[in-house]
Amino acid sequence: MMGCFIFAALFIVLAVVFLIGKGDMLIAGYNTASEEERKEVNIHRLRLLMAIISVLTAGFCGILPFIGKEKDNVLGATFGFMIVTLAFVILANTWAKKK
């Protein structure tokens, strides 16, 4: 149970790092992109999305111990989190791109 709260705290710290603009090297894909590919990305929007998903992940880690050990509760929460994550992947590939 304590491990969940430690992970939640780490994701909150990660969200703060993204919000202050220091976490670009932690964004998968952006870190390995060429300069031309980086110019096509609105990094401010991408940082905002990464901070929000980090906070949501922290919340998910924080509520897991309280959900209980019933499979239906855990599967429902996990499925919901996967849907939210998919939405953020789509946003990162559309909203965070420069037009």
Side-chain angles (χ1 to χ4, degrees):
M1 185 158 131
M2 190 63 167
C4 291
F5 296 121
I6 292 171
F7 277 113
L10 289 174
F11 276 107
I12 293 295
V13 169
L14 187 62
V16 170
V17 168
F18 284 128
L19 287 175
I20 62 174
K22 300 292 182 182
D24 296 348
M25 70 273 193
L26 300 174
I27 301 173
Y30 186 79
N31 186 24
T32 59
S34 66
E35 283 300 318
E36 294 82 30
E37 292 171 330
R38 288 183 185 188
K39 289 179 183 176
E40 296 174 9
V41 176
N42 186 336
I43 190 61
H44 300 291
R45 287 183 176 182
L46 186 58
R47 284 184 200 137
L48 179 64
L49 286 173
M50 294 302 294
I52 292 170
I53 196 67
S54 295
V55 169
L56 291 175
T57 303
F60 179 71
C61 290
I63 66 166
L64 271 179
F66 301 108
I67 289 177
K69 296 189 180 199
E70 291 184 32
K71 283 184 187 178
D72 293 340
N73 293 343
V74 174
L75 286 175
T78 302
F79 182 72
F81 183 71
M82 288 172 56
I83 296 294
V84 170
T85 302
L86 180 63
F88 273 85
V89 168
I90 292 169
L91 281 173
N93 285 299
T94 56
W95 186 66
K97 295 280 185 178
K98 289 183 181 174
K99 296 178 180 174

